[in-house]
């Protein structure tokens, strides 16, 4: 299978002999997708629905792992990669920050789409301005700004420095958004539609959730690896073009 | 990086702020643009407001701080946009002064500018919505100043970053607005409390958020600024 799918990248100049073939097919990414499909199938057909929330609760198997991986793994990597770049000036660290930001954006998009899908039948509203939701939404906006900023700067070093600064400031901002919205909500009593207690997961549900975490962790690693590879190749092509010009 | 010896950071910062404000005073472009924007903003909010459904004291704080965030931002681009003309920034960077002083100078000029806009927007909102602040007006002024400091520190840093990018005017609000949330939310909440006659102790948690934001982002932006103008 790898022979049929592995093909060399198109060479930069026409008529030039192509270099060593680079495998486009990514085994790890394929494995992650298979794991994700498997865990989704398990959640839909082989895991019993939760007594109170019914089928809607199954969104949790996607929503929670995506949130945890996006918010607590990918997002911190953006700030850490940026801060380390400013210190060590290693292009690989900038690529780590850049790749993590895109992956975090994807994961947070999943969170922000699946969240309201669950909230509508359970809370009776698509969205509530609760601290956690609000900070996630604004973090998503910042990550979007981060990618737009990167696209708006030509110079590689300048781009790396600017995005590092933004990444670090964003990391500092999240607790503030969380705090201001939480203060804002606790000071004003809110009508409570439903106070969802932490669902007591049965062994089967717990297993599905654990497998979902594994699948999402695998997806994160696979996406990061693929994105880093792409960024390294892109930078090499850029360097070659600069050298040849 | 620091010049050492020669004029102190604060003296240089004041000099740069004076230069920027002199330019602004002679052209009055950004200030009038922001002023007209904020007055138009207050009027538009007034038009879309249903007085029979929502009381003025419920809507006025939101109007005030929304306009403050947007009007303040209108002028922020100017801080470094000015320096692009005839490559004035190069001259500034070649001068034997610390980068921190340049940032502080720019931020100071912006602070004067944003405070001036606020000083006109607050009375305009008070007038339009027929508000009674009473003794709370002094606390509101202090909150306004704290909010302005938060807005200009982050805004000045992003202005120096976005000015070199392709879509500067679009990128600045995109990057800066999420950072204004911890400034606008406490300011709006505190003014809402002041309007119903709350005392200083009640609004203290909000003031603490503003002070913490100003301190943390003030330090972070001063430290980060040299990275944004490195050659």
């Amino acid at each position: 299978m790898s022979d049929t799918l592995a093909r060399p990248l198109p060479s930069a100049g026409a008529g030039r002999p192509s270099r060593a073939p680079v495998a486009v097919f990514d085994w790890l990414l394929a494995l992650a997708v298979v794991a994700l499909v498997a865990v989704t199938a398990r959640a839909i057909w082989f895991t019993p629905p939760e007594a109170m929330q019914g089928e809607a609760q199954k969104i949790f198997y996607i929503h929670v792992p995506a949130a945890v991986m996006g918010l607590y793994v990918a997002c911190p990597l953006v700030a850490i990669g940026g801060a380390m770049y400013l210190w060590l000036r290693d292009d690989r660290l900038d690529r780590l920050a850049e790749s993590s930001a895109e992956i975090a954006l994807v994961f947070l998009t999943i969170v922000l789409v699946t969240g309201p899908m669950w909230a509508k039948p359970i809370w009776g509203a698509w969205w509530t301005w609760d601290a956690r939701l609000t900070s996630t939404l604004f973090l998503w906006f910042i990550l979007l700004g981060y990618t737009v900023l990167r696209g708006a700067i030509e110079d590689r070093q300048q781009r790396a420095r600017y995005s590092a600064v933004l990444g670090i400031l964003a990391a500092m901002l999240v607790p503030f958004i969380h705090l201001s919205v939480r203060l804002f909500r606790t000071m004003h009593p809110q009508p409570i539609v439903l106070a969802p207690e932490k669902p007591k997961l049965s062994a089967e549900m717990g297993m599905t959730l654990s497998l979902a975490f594994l699948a999402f962790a695998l997806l994160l690693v696979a996406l990061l690896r693929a994105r880093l590879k792409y960024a390294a190749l892109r930078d090499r092509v850029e360097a070659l073009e600069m050298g040849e010009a | 990086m620091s010049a050492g010896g020669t004029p102190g950071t604060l003296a240089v910062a004041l000099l740069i702020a004076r230069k920027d404000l002199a330019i602004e005073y002679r052209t009055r472009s950004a200030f009038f643009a922001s002023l007209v924007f904020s007055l138009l903003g207050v009027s538009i909010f007034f038009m879309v407001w249903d007085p029979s459904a929502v009381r003025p004291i419920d809507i006025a704080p939101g109007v005030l701080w929304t306009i403050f965030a947007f009007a303040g931002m209108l002028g922020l681009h100017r801080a470094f946009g000015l320096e692009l003309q005839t490559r004035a920034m190069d001259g500034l960077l070649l001068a034997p002064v610390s980068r921190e002083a340049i940032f502080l100078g720019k931020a100071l000029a912006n602070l004067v500018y944003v405070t001036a806009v606020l000083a006109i927007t607050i009375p305009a909102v008070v007038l339009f919505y027929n508000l009674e602040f009473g003794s709370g007006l002094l606390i509101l002024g202090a909150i306004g100043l704290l909010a302005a400091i938060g807005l200009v520190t982050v805004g000045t840093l992003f202005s120096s970053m976005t000015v070199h990018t392709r879509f500067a005017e679009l990128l600045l609000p995109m990057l800066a607005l999420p950072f204004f949330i911890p400034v606008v939310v406490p300011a709006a909440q505190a003014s809402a409390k002041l309007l119903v006659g709350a005392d200083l102790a009640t609004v203290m948690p909000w003031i603490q958020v503003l002070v913490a934001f100003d301190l943390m982002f003030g330090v972070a932006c001063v430290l980060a600024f040299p990275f944004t103008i490195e050659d």
Side-chain angles (χ1 to χ4, degrees):
Chain A
M1 195 168 167
S2 74
D3 290 330
T4 53
L5 282 162
R7 53 179 80 91
L9 282 180
S11 58
R16 246 188 297 167
S18 62
R19 297 210 179 86
V22 181
V24 169
F25 184 76
D26 191 327
W27 274 111
L28 198 61
L29 202 55
L31 196 67
V33 171
V34 169
L36 209 61
V37 171
V39 94
T40 310
R42 185 187 153 98
I44 295 174
W45 291 297
F46 304 103
T47 308
E50 207 263 337
M52 298 258 297
Q53 306 178 8
E55 297 290 336
Q57 181 263 344
K58 289 181 175 177
I59 286 173
F60 266 155
Y61 302 122
I62 301 291
H63 181 84
V64 176
V68 169
M69 293 297 155
L71 288 171
Y72 304 118
V73 181
C75 283
L77 275 180
V78 181
I80 293 167
M84 296 278 284
Y85 173 83
L86 288 184
W87 181 30
L88 300 168
R89 301 295 165 126
D90 189 329
D91 282 342
R92 283 175 297 181
L93 291 165
D94 178 48
R95 290 200 286 262
L96 174 69
E98 172 200 7
S99 309
S100 312
E102 272 181 27
I103 293 163
L105 193 61
V106 171
F107 278 34
L108 290 198
T109 307
I110 296 175
V111 173
L112 291 175
V113 170
T114 53
M117 280 165 64
W118 172 84
K120 183 65 183 167
I122 305 299
W123 285 346
W126 294 106
W127 186 267
T128 61
W129 290 96
D130 134 281
R132 187 179 288 190
L133 270 65
T134 313
S135 9
T136 308
L137 179 67
F138 279 100
L139 195 56
W140 185 84
F141 277 125
I142 292 167
L143 287 168
L144 202 64
Y146 181 97
T147 52
V148 175
L149 177 75
R150 289 196 72 96
I153 305 169
E154 297 284 347
D155 183 76
R156 195 197 295 179
Q157 259 122 41
Q158 191 186 36
R159 183 170 57 214
R161 278 187 282 114
Y162 282 16
S163 33
V165 167
L166 181 60
I168 295 166
L169 288 186
M172 283 173 61
L173 182 70
V174 176
F176 271 99
I177 298 179
H178 200 84
L179 181 72
S180 45
V181 187
R182 201 176 61 85
L183 265 177
F184 169 32
R185 288 306 172 200
T186 47
M187 288 174 87
H188 288 249
Q190 290 294 305
I192 297 165
V193 181
L194 185 85
E197 281 198 331
K198 275 253 170 195
K200 298 259 187 304
L201 291 180
S202 70
E204 252 176 320
M205 291 177 186
M207 181 52 112
T208 309
L209 191 63
S210 309
L211 288 172
F213 265 106
L214 269 176
F216 268 91
L218 197 63
L219 183 68
L220 181 109
V221 172
L223 281 175
L224 193 60
R225 180 168 159 270
R227 184 61 179 73
L228 282 171
K229 251 195 224 169
Y230 157 76
L233 277 172
R234 180 203 57 201
D235 286 358
R236 225 181 91 205
V237 168
E238 205 177 284
L240 284 172
E241 277 173 357
M242 296 276 275
E244 282 168 8
Chain B
M1 212 173 283
S2 174
T6 50
T9 305
L10 201 65
V12 175
L14 285 172
L15 211 62
I16 292 172
R18 227 180 86 189
K19 172 198 77 98
D20 273 18
L21 290 171
I23 296 174
E24 181 54 39
Y25 179 71
R26 285 182 198 146
T27 58
R28 294 184 185 91
S29 51
F31 180 71
F32 275 115
S34 301
L35 194 64
V36 171
F37 175 87
S38 73
L39 293 179
L40 273 175
V42 177
S43 324
I44 289 170
F45 270 112
F46 202 81
M47 300 299 170
V48 297
W49 168 54
D50 177 3
S52 61
V54 184
R55 291 177 306 166
I57 57 165
D58 290 326
I59 194 174
V63 171
L64 173 64
W65 298 103
T66 309
I67 290 172
F68 161 76
F70 284 98
M73 201 153 44
L74 267 185
L76 288 176
H77 176 67
R78 178 199 49 105
F80 288 91
L82 272 179
E83 307 293 353
L84 281 185
Q85 294 164 15
T86 64
R87 308 192 57 163
M89 193 66 196
D90 293 352
L92 208 55
L93 293 179
L94 281 171
V97 296
S98 69
R99 303 281 157 100
E100 287 80 4
I102 298 177
F103 178 79
L104 284 175
K106 290 285 177 190
L108 253 162
N110 277 338
L111 184 64
V112 172
Y113 160 84
V114 170
T115 314
V117 173
L118 198 58
I120 293 175
T121 314
I122 291 181
V125 172
V126 169
L127 188 82
F128 271 73
Y129 289 93
N130 216 358
L131 303 176
E132 298 279 344
F133 267 101
S135 58
L137 205 59
L138 209 64
I139 308 172
L140 182 73
I143 288 167
L145 190 66
L146 286 172
I149 292 172
L151 188 134
V152 299
T153 41
V154 178
T156 308
L157 184 79
F158 285 148
S159 161
S160 95
M161 272 165 55
T162 52
V163 79
H164 302 292
T165 63
R166 267 183 277 162
F167 347 99
E169 284 91 349
L170 284 175
L171 251 179
L172 181 59
M174 195 170 179
L175 297 186
L177 276 178
F179 285 84
F180 292 167
I181 300 296
V183 172
V184 170
V185 169
Q189 292 303 313
S191 7
K193 290 257 172 262
L194 289 174
L195 268 177
V196 292
D199 55 358
L200 186 62
T202 322
V203 295
M204 214 45 198
W206 298 116
I207 295 179
Q208 283 167 346
V209 174
L210 283 173
V211 171
F213 184 90
D214 289 357
L215 285 177
M216 278 184 69
F217 279 85
V219 172
C221 290
V222 169
L223 291 178
F225 178 71
F227 292 112
T228 68
I229 48 166
E230 224 172 75
D231 293 323

